[in-house]
């Protein structure tokens, strides 16, 4: 496949409610959309999941655009005829920047699969048509507000609740939610907000039958997670620390994680995600699909990934309406706590071009020479 050009747009989409985590509060989602056009008229779409500031990971929207324009796309263009399976290898000399790389690989994969008439799901190795949905609940202003928000999601049918926690907002909200819903699958996500001096405090979560605690410590403190896992009974799950297949291997060898959150952007793409899935399956490690407040474009591919056999826990793959009043694709609508895996070619969703135009704040076309 020869690429003619890649259009990079910045879009800004308001969230239905503020999303507060230990690293800040999001009121709206800014992200990059890629539209790739091939020399023979094919098209591929992807979204780059980096956020506007480097608070969750080192990447951020305008930095991603810069590295794509300056280094990543020129290297892809130089190759000429390119397939998605070659992208990681071509981009390997450029260190880091997994989210930018993932966006390029995904756009190429979408164009390639549309050309071949294959869906993301069947290409990646999907084993089911429906996936179980969880929902990630931000830090609330009060316990009352939290109970209301969780109540809304429970009534909508979500099959698992994840509470964002941080020092000062942890044991008490978990206790109340567990007492209010004794049987709901429940887990927590700290986004690196704790340190090595907090092990005994985090053991205070043990009585609440949590599925897991996600990334309590610094991204680089893999050994700390292994130490913590020895002293608490809640299973430790890594998110931010797992930036590649190699990182996953190391974390498993160190016993720093017994469950892995796979986010394609964080690990450099869907192909690396499948490799991590396979590694975990061989080692009897459960995986689930994380989220980055995606629009329908990223969500479509995530839902396909989440339908692989090793994804045995509900993911942060919620319905479009949990995030946005209006999505930029045919919306993902939850039925009985599940989403349907798109069956059409490529990502398999219709794109709402008019709406994308409305929410575009910047647009640039990068052409192959
Ligand atoms: O840590 O999983 C996270 C959103 C943005 C950045 C990081 C995270 C999250 C979420 C929300 O928890 C997941 C989603 O519903 O998309
Ligand atoms: Mg997380």
């Amino acid at each position: 496949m020869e690429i003619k050009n890649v259009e990079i747009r910045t879009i800004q989409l308001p969230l239905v409610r503020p999303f507060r985590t230990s690293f800040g509060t999001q009121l709206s989602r800014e992200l990059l959309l890629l539209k790739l056009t091939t020399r023979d008229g094919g098209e591929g779409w992807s979204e780059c999941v980096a956020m506007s500031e480097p608070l969750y990971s080192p990447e951020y929207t305008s930095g991603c655009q810069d590295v794509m324009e300056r280094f990543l796309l020129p290297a892809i263009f130089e190759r000429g005829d390119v397939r998605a399976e070659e992208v990681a290898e071509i981009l390997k000399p450029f260190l880091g920047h997994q989210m930018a790389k993932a966006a390029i690989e995904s756009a190429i994969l979408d164009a390639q699969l549309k050309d071949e008439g294959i869906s993301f799901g069947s290409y990646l190795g999907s084993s089911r048509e429906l996936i179980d949905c969880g929902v990630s609940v931000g830090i609330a202003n009060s316990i009352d507000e939290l109970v209301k928000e969780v109540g809304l999601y429970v009534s909508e049918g979500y099959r698992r609740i994840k509470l964002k926690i941080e020092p000062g907002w942890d044991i008490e909200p978990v206790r109340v939610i567990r007492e209010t819903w004794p049987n709901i699958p429940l887990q927590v996500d700290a986004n690196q907000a704790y340190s090595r001096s907090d092990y005994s405090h985090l053991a205070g979560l043990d009585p609440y039958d949590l599925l897991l605690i996600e990334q309590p410590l610094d991204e680089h403190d893999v050994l700390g997670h292994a130490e913590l896992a020895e002293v608490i009974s809640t299973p430790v799950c890594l998110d931010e620390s797992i930036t590649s297949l190699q990182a996953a291997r190391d974390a498993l060898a160190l016993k720093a994680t017994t469950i892995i959150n796979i986010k394609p952007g964080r690990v450099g793409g869907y192909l690396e995600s499948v490799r991590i899935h396979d590694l975990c399956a061989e080692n009897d490690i459960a995986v689930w699909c994380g989220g980055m407040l995606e629009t329908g474009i990223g969500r479509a591919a995530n839902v396909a990934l989440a339908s692989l056999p090793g994804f045995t826990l509900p993911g942060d793959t919620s319905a479009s309406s949990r995030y946005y009043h209006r999505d930029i694709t045919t919306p993902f609508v939850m039925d009985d706590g599940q989403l349907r895996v798109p069956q059409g070619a490529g990502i398999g969703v219709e794109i709402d071009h008019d709406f994308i135009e409305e929410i575009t704040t910047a647009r640039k076309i990068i052409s192959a020479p």
Side-chain angles (χ1 to χ4, degrees), residues 19 56 131-137 158 160-164 187-189 191 212 214 237 239 261-264 266 287-295 298-299 302-303 306 311 313-320 322-323 339:
F19 184 63
Y56 161 76
I131 60 140
D132 290 346
C133 300
V135 60
S136 175
V137 186
Y158 283 99
R160 182 224 73 197
I161 301 292
K162 158 169 142 183
L163 302 180
K164 289 290 191 179
Q187 63 191 52
V188 293
D189 184 1
N191 290 109
L212 57 92
E214 189 180 342
C237 168
D239 173 354
N261 163 339
I262 299 183
K263 281 184 191 170
R266 198 193 61 224
V287 300
W288 55 281
C289 184
M292 289 293 294
L293 312 173
E294 284 89 348
T295 71
R299 189 164 312 284
N302 283 356
V303 167
F311 285 80
L313 291 168
D316 284 344
T317 40
S318 312
S320 296
R322 181 260 171 265
Y323 310 92
L339 289 180

Side-chain angles (χ1 to χ4, degrees), residues 123 206 320:
Y123 175 82
D206 285 348
S320 296

Side-chain angles (χ1 to χ4, degrees), residues 32-69:
L32 300 176
L33 288 185
L34 269 55
K35 180 179 112 183
L36 174 148
T37 306
T38 66
R39 295 238 187 251
D40 42 24
E43 210 175 271
W45 285 81
S46 72
E47 89 181 63
C48 177
V49 298
M51 309 187 82
S52 40
E53 299 167 296
L55 301 175
Y56 161 76
S57 84
E59 294 184 87
Y60 60 100
T61 322
S62 57
C64 286
Q65 174 146 8
D66 188 74
V67 78
M68 285 188 214
E69 279 186 47

Side-chain angles (χ1 to χ4, degrees), residues 19-315:
F19 184 63
R20 179 168 153 209
T21 64
S22 58
F23 60 82
T25 304
Q26 306 293 312
L27 301 175
S28 77
R29 183 71 166 104
E30 180 195 67
L31 54 83
L32 300 176
L33 288 185
L34 269 55
K35 180 179 112 183
L36 174 148
T37 306
T38 66
R39 295 238 187 251
D40 42 24
E43 210 175 271
W45 285 81
S46 72
E47 89 181 63
C48 177
V49 298
M51 309 187 82
S52 40
E53 299 167 296
L55 301 175
Y56 161 76
S57 84
E59 294 184 87
Y60 60 100
T61 322
S62 57
C64 286
Q65 174 146 8
D66 188 74
V67 78
M68 285 188 214
E69 279 186 47
R70 234 183 251 275
F71 304 106
L72 308 183
L73 288 174
I76 298 287
F77 293 154
E78 200 186 328
R79 172 65 62 106
D81 196 16
V82 68
R83 286 183 61 83
E85 296 82 0
E86 300 165 329
V87 171
E89 199 58 36
I90 299 171
L91 300 182
K92 201 171 171 188
F94 305 106
L95 305 179
H97 299 285
Q98 289 87 338
M99 293 175 179
K101 291 175 177 178
I104 291 175
E105 185 194 84
S106 306
I108 293 175
L109 185 56
D110 185 40
Q112 180 176 313
L113 295 180
K114 280 187 167 116
D115 183 51
E116 296 169 350
I118 301 170
S119 71
F120 250 67
S122 31
Y123 175 82
L124 297 175
S126 171
S127 64
R128 51 188 186 267
E129 283 181 19
L130 296 170
I131 60 140
D132 290 346
C133 300
V135 60
S136 175
V137 186
I139 293 165
N141 292 318
S142 67
I143 298 281
D144 278 1
E145 283 184 28
L146 179 72
V147 170
K148 269 198 202 115
E149 189 178 343
V150 171
L152 172 78
Y153 297 136
V154 171
S155 70
E156 287 177 346
Y158 283 99
R159 295 189 175 200
R160 182 224 73 197
I161 301 292
K162 158 169 142 183
L163 302 180
K164 289 290 191 179
I165 59 167
E166 66 180 3
W169 182 266
D170 44 28
I171 314 289
E172 188 55 13
V174 167
R175 187 186 68 76
V176 172
I177 297 303
R178 176 48 82 218
E179 275 176 14
T180 314
W181 290 280
N183 299 316
I184 192 98
L186 184 64
Q187 63 191 52
V188 293
D189 184 1
N191 290 109
Q192 318 181 54
Y194 296 88
S195 68
R196 288 191 179 197
S197 54
D198 294 318
Y199 298 164
S200 57
H201 176 72
L202 292 170
L205 293 167
D206 285 348
Y208 303 108
D209 191 26
L210 300 179
L211 286 168
L212 57 92
I213 178 170
E214 189 180 342
Q215 198 73 40
L217 310 176
D218 187 88
E219 173 188 348
H220 298 106
D221 195 6
V222 177
L223 193 56
H225 285 95
E227 286 178 6
L228 176 65
E230 292 239 313
V231 300
I232 64 173
S233 62
T234 305
V236 173
C237 168
L238 292 177
D239 173 354
E240 285 91 322
S241 298
I242 307 297
T243 52
S244 64
L245 175 65
Q246 186 61 57
R249 252 195 223 117
D250 292 355
L252 290 179
L254 274 171
K255 300 194 187 311
T257 190
T258 46
I259 296 170
I260 291 181
N261 163 339
I262 299 183
K263 281 184 191 170
R266 198 193 61 224
V267 303
Y270 288 88
L271 304 186
E272 188 80 347
S273 298
V274 172
R275 289 188 279 270
I276 295 174
H277 161 274
D278 295 348
L279 168 78
C280 290
E282 283 160 24
N283 290 281
D284 278 322
I285 294 289
V287 300
W288 55 281
C289 184
M292 289 293 294
L293 312 173
E294 284 89 348
T295 71
I297 291 178
R299 189 164 312 284
N302 283 356
V303 167
L305 179 69
S307 71
L308 268 63
F311 285 80
T312 52
L313 291 168

